[in-house]
Amino acid sequence: AIPFYQRAVELDPKPANFHYNLGAALQFAGKFAAAESAYRAVIEREPNSYRAYSALVGLSRQTPEQNYLAKLGSLFKEHKADPDKALHIGHAIAKTLEDLDRYEESFDWLKRAKRGKRAAIEYQSDTDFKLFAAAAETVDESTASDDACSAASPIFIVGLPRTGTTLVDRILSSHPEVVSAGELNTFAGLVKAQAGSPSNLVLDVETLRNAAGADLAQIGHSYIEETRRLARGAHRFTDKMPLNFFYVWLIHCALPNARIVALRRDPIDSCVSNFRQLFATGFSYYNYSLDIDDTAAYYECFDKLLGVWRRSMPASRYLELKYEDIVRDQENQTRRLLEFCNLTWDEACLRFHENPAPVATASSVQVRQPLYTGSIGRWKKYGDRLDSLHSRLNKKKNS
């Protein structure tokens, strides 16, 4: 897309949105200096572009000498009645304060930024609780089929966002026999079509319940056919849609030779990393992240569901990896991952940060750096702001 955006700018440099789209594409491609220039071109044309300021803050660490706090503060006052704009601006302020080691203030700003959006959508955690329960109920030995697709090419990478899914995708796609197909809605769409549920949601309780009567063998064959172009003839390919953790048993029945890698991370770090992430505002499946208590409840459901998969899935097809283990023991965990996926050892997998392929996720900046331990135990920097979360998750862990 980059040359097309560049050509659009050449033909008509006036629209700020042309520059913003170019900046986003450059960022995904790892061309951060050029992306910064594009975002600054947006501000030249629209001095109050909160999206451009938010993008600039996300590109690099803010410093006492170089930051946009004053401008962001005035923009927040101007747009605080608009839940979406306040969310974007408040996140940029929180990220800046975090970069300045003002973690408690950062957390307070996250709560302030998210409060209006949560009220506007009237989020109900019970909806997610029912979804997790319906996913667990898909486990049924009778859903296995002799006609299931035998292809072993897909590797599904699942887990909560911000827990290492992109990292594992980059490690695997650095292997010469593996291609990353990105975050695909393909499997979910095929299940929805077969389930015939009437809602306008791809993933809901009724769809998961109706999946019991779906032709999972056909779904497996259709999945391979529909991903053929994205796989580009590679021996193996990754599908890094985090929410596929709802479909683990269905994936196994449809593609019994596929591999499923589930990422785990410290419970409190998982919750904090989701709470501090600005997800797409139009994507309802991440609405839990608008409140730290909702995020904790969601994590508890996720943890319980992965327990169901561990008990139900064969170890040769389902593997759980801990983010902290990968960071602290990179080579051994990489060898374990490659062995699980029936891939030979390749040193390139240790140099995942040199992988030139685009990254269109929230980790587009981080995964172009070597592994670092700074994200482990990050929650401890927030002081007493996380006391209730710590008490809740530790109590559950020790009970």
Side-chain angles (χ1 to χ4, degrees):
I2 291 174
F4 295 98
Y5 285 133
Q6 289 173 330
R7 181 58 176 154
V9 168
E10 290 171 5
L11 290 170
D12 187 358
K14 294 187 294 297
N17 202 45
F18 286 7
H19 296 272
Y20 183 85
N21 289 339
L22 174 60
L26 289 165
Q27 179 176 336
F28 292 155
K31 301 178 180 180
F32 300 132
E36 181 178 349
S37 296
Y39 291 138
R40 292 193 183 283
V42 176
I43 293 172
E44 290 173 7
R45 289 155 179 81
E46 290 184 4
N48 291 328
S49 174
Y50 67 91
R51 292 196 306 161
Y53 280 109
S54 178
L56 284 170
V57 169
L59 268 182
S60 61
R61 184 176 180 85
Q62 305 297 285
T63 67
E65 299 76 27
Q66 177 61 49
N67 65 73
Y68 307 98
L69 268 181
K71 180 64 176 179
L72 289 168
S74 65
L75 286 174
F76 189 87
K77 288 180 181 178
E78 180 182 350
H79 297 295
K80 62 182 178 181
D82 185 315
D84 287 334
K85 291 180 180 179
L87 186 65
H88 275 84
I89 299 165
H91 263 273
I93 293 173
K95 197 272 184 181
T96 301
L97 291 169
E98 186 177 291
D99 285 349
L100 300 177
D101 294 326
R102 294 158 63 179
Y103 282 86
E104 294 179 353
E105 291 177 74
S106 173
F107 189 81
D108 292 341
W109 264 101
L110 284 174
K111 292 179 68 175
R112 184 177 178 183
K114 291 169 178 283
R115 190 179 300 125
K117 182 64 176 179
R118 187 183 186 280
I121 64 171
E122 298 180 340
Y123 171 75
Q124 298 292 325
S125 58
D126 188 57
T127 302
D128 282 330
F129 297 164
K130 292 176 180 177
L131 193 60
F132 278 99
E137 291 168 4
T138 60
V139 177
D140 183 350
E141 296 293 341
S142 66
T143 53
S145 170
D146 294 336
D147 300 325
C149 181
S150 62
S153 50
I155 303 170
F156 292 86
I157 303 170
V158 306
L160 290 180
R162 314 300 296 149
T163 59
T165 54
T166 301
L167 170 61
V168 169
D169 184 61
R170 299 295 280 184
I171 291 172
L172 285 172
S173 61
S174 296
H175 194 284
E177 296 182 9
V178 183
V179 161
S180 174
E183 295 189 358
L184 306 181
N185 285 311
T186 307
F187 193 87
L190 290 168
V191 170
K192 176 68 176 181
Q194 280 269 354
S197 51
S199 78
N200 62 352
L201 296 172
V202 173
L203 174 61
D204 59 9
V205 170
E206 189 174 5
T207 298
L208 288 174
R209 287 177 176 166
N210 288 0
D215 186 344
L216 292 171
Q218 181 57 51
I219 288 175
H221 289 290
S222 297
Y223 176 86
I224 294 300
E225 186 58 35
E226 292 195 17
T227 55
R228 194 176 305 279
R229 178 181 60 84
L230 293 170
R232 303 197 292 278
H235 176 58
R236 309 298 297 275
F237 72 92
T238 60
D239 179 341
K240 196 202 79 67
M241 168 51 73
L243 287 174
N244 275 335
F245 67 73
F246 281 109
Y247 301 96
V248 165
W249 181 257
L250 298 177
I251 290 171
H252 178 57
C253 291
L255 295 155
N257 290 320
R259 302 300 194 271
I260 302 173
V261 181
L263 269 296
R264 306 302 306 270
R265 189 179 178 185
D266 172 84
I268 307 179
D269 275 335
S270 294
C271 291
V272 173
S273 65
N274 274 251
F275 184 62
R276 61 188 285 275
Q277 178 59 43
L278 176 61
F279 293 106
T281 54
F283 195 64
S284 63
Y285 295 108
Y286 296 139
N287 285 342
Y288 66 85
S289 67
L290 294 170
D291 179 88
I292 192 64
D293 291 326
D294 291 338
T295 303
Y298 192 93
Y299 175 86
E300 290 169 341
C301 289
F302 169 79
D303 183 58
K304 184 177 179 180
L305 181 60
L306 261 61
V308 173
W309 302 147
R310 278 197 304 275
R311 294 188 294 272
S312 308
M313 290 286 294
S316 61
R317 298 295 181 265
Y318 176 80
L319 173 70
E320 290 187 11
L321 284 179
K322 293 182 178 180
Y323 170 77
E324 293 83 0
D325 290 345
I326 299 172
V327 172
R328 291 170 173 152
D329 190 18
Q330 182 183 1
E331 181 171 338
N332 285 330
Q333 292 300 312
T334 301
R335 288 184 181 276
R336 180 184 174 211
L337 174 63
L338 295 181
E339 182 179 353
F340 170 73
C341 295
N342 268 348
L343 293 166
T344 57
W345 171 252
D346 196 290
E347 292 280 345
C349 295
L350 296 179
R351 302 189 303 276
F352 64 88
H353 52 285
E354 299 175 2
N355 188 333
V359 186
T361 74
S363 302
S364 59
V365 175
Q366 293 96 323
V367 295
R368 296 192 185 278
Q369 307 167 16
L371 285 180
Y372 56 94
T373 60
S375 293
I376 297 176
R378 182 200 298 270
W379 64 267
K380 298 175 183 178
K381 298 180 179 181
Y382 291 91
D384 62 5
R385 300 301 192 273
L386 295 176
D387 283 352
S388 61
L389 178 67
H390 181 268
S391 176
R392 173 177 183 164
L393 295 180
N394 271 351
K395 181 178 180 180
K396 179 177 178 63
K397 184 168 62 174
N398 296 327
S399 62

